[in-house]
């Protein structure tokens, strides 16, 4: 249908309808919510697959390894329970808002997205799929059928922290996801840190990730995180916060997320 007549994909509708405002949809709307085959989470030998129609509530109730704690924490912060019941993880990624709460945890997990159309199937790292504010590499007739998370660091500790102007039903001013793996001697073997709402798309803090490797995983580690580590971010001033405030808040959130991981890491 998408290939022959075209149309806009509708999943949970929690971004789709608010974006229309008072207008009616123009052209065809292709409601994909009955494609049961792409709903749910499965464990495969090399990755964990989150189907393209998996809702935030499905995710919250799925038994998943510790590296997914951050994604589950993000899921619990998406809107409200009603929104989590309808909204899908894939819809969050395809909508490509800079403030999409699902993006930082999935970026920190090195997730890839699977896109299917009548022309075939392709897999793209999430960091490349998101090209800007509301922009992705998805072409009009492609469905995001799955999110693939490599199992390589599944036993790592993870954490997600979100700052908004109030506790619930709030668009993020900044949010941070961290995944941290310790080695047998108690040092950081691997660290992945990403920040959202502070650039057109969420960004990984690659230099920080490198600087953390080899450090003893204890409370002092957070003090090694400096403002320069946030250089990949380019936050703007808007109605929710100034860019300067976002940077300061992000530094605190990054430190706290790393500390939280440290407390959880085995
Ligand atoms: C009151 C309220 C509060 C909210 N709070 C938050 C929040 O705190 N944090 C947050 O991140 N978001 C929030 N949102 C936004 C929204 O709920 C999420 O982004 C949700 O995950 C979107 O999923 P959906 O299935 O509803 O997408 P839809 O609205 O159905 O679709 C969104 C976009 O993605 C496309 N699309 C959807 N699924 C696919 C697919 N499988 N393949 C290809 N294209 C697809 C659609 O065509 C559309 O362009 C909120 C929304 C509301 C209304």
């Amino acid at each position: 249908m998408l290939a022959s007549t075209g149309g806009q994909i509708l999943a949970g509708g929690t971004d789709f309808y608010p974006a229309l405002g008072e207008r009616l949809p123009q052209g065809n709307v292709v409601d994909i919510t009955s494609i049961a085959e792409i709903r749910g989470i499965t464990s495969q030998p090399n990755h964990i697959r989150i189907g393209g129609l998996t809702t935030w509530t499905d995710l919250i109730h799925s038994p998943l390894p510790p590296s997914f704690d951050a994604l589950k924490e993000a899921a619990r912060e998406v809107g409200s329970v009603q929104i989590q019941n309808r909204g899908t993880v894939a819809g969050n990624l395809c909508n490509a808002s800079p403030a999409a709460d699902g993006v930082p945890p999935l970026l920190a997990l090195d997730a890839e997205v699977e896109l299917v159309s009548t022309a075939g199937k392709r897999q793209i790292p999430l960091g490349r799929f998101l090209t800007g504010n509301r922009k992705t590499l998805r072409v009009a007739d492609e469905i995001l059928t799955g999110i693939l998370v490599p199992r390589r660091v599944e036993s790592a500790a993870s954490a997600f922290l979100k700052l908004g102007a109030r506790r619930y039903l709030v668009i993020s001013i900044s949010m941070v996801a961290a995944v941290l793996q310790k080695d047998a001697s108690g040092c950081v073997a691997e660290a992945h840190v990403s920040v959202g709402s502070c650039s057109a798309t969420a960004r990984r803090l690659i230099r920080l990730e490198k600087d953390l490797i080899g450090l003893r995983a204890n409370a002092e580690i957070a003090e090694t995180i400096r403002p320069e580590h946030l250089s990949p971010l380019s936050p703007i001033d808007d109605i929710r916060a100034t860019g300067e405030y976002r940077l300061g808040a992000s530094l605190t959130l990054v430190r706290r997320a790393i500390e939280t991981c440290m407390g959880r890491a085995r």
Side-chain angles (χ1 to χ4, degrees):
M1 208 169 182
L2 287 169
S4 55
T5 56
Q8 286 172 271
I9 294 174
L10 175 72
T14 62
D15 275 319
F16 183 94
Y17 286 114
L20 287 173
E22 299 294 312
R23 291 172 296 125
L24 290 171
Q26 301 298 303
N28 298 328
V29 175
V30 181
D31 181 340
I32 61 169
T33 50
S34 296
I35 312 178
E37 297 91 314
I38 60 167
R39 184 163 180 180
I41 300 180
T42 48
S43 253
Q44 293 170 352
N46 298 323
H47 55 255
I48 291 177
R49 180 192 181 86
I50 303 171
L53 272 174
T54 307
T55 64
W56 292 111
T57 299
D58 294 337
L59 182 106
I60 290 165
H61 294 299
S62 299
L64 287 165
S67 62
F68 282 75
D69 288 353
L71 186 60
K72 284 193 172 187
E73 283 164 351
R76 288 192 195 94
E77 303 242 10
V78 173
S80 60
V81 171
Q82 294 90 335
I83 297 294
Q84 293 157 20
N85 287 342
R86 296 292 306 175
T88 60
V89 186
N92 192 249
L93 304 185
C94 291
N95 189 57
S97 159
D101 285 324
V103 175
L106 285 166
L107 262 190
L109 287 171
D110 288 329
E112 302 209 341
V113 296
E114 179 189 82
L115 298 162
V116 173
S117 69
T118 50
K121 189 192 280 190
R122 58 184 183 136
Q123 219 168 292
I124 309 174
L126 178 60
R128 278 214 298 120
F129 174 68
L130 300 166
T131 54
N133 183 356
R134 315 258 170 201
K135 293 198 190 99
T136 71
L137 289 181
R138 188 180 77 84
V139 294
D141 63 347
E142 279 180 315
I143 298 184
L144 197 164
T145 46
I147 300 156
L148 306 174
V149 178
R151 299 185 61 173
R152 207 174 50 79
V153 290
E154 69 179 11
S155 59
S158 68
F160 173 84
L161 294 173
K162 164 172 171 172
L163 176 73
R166 59 175 182 237
R167 187 66 193 85
Y168 290 106
L169 267 174
V170 68
I171 299 177
S172 299
I173 289 171
S174 169
M175 70 285 207
V176 171
V179 174
L180 192 131
Q181 177 96 64
K182 273 202 301 200
D183 63 20
S185 64
C187 293
V188 177
E190 198 157 337
H192 301 175
V193 185
S194 47
V195 182
S197 261
C198 287
S199 28
T201 62
R203 301 290 303 273
R204 285 269 294 262
L205 304 182
I206 301 294
R207 192 172 140 208
L208 171 63
E209 294 179 359
K210 287 198 180 120
D211 286 353
L212 290 175
I213 292 174
L215 298 185
R216 186 143 283 283
N218 57 26
E220 278 98 70
I221 207 171
E223 279 147 39
T224 67
I225 304 167
R226 299 182 308 277
E228 306 86 87
H229 285 126
L230 303 190
S231 60
L233 309 180
S234 46
I236 54 161
D237 296 345
D238 70 7
I239 188 169
R240 292 192 293 279
T242 62
E244 192 187 351
Y245 178 81
R246 284 192 153 92
L247 272 184
S250 300
L251 185 63
T252 302
L253 290 184
V254 169
R255 286 177 175 152
R256 286 184 192 164
I258 294 293
E259 277 166 355
T260 307
C261 285
M262 223 90 70
R264 292 176 178 175
R266 271 174 237 129

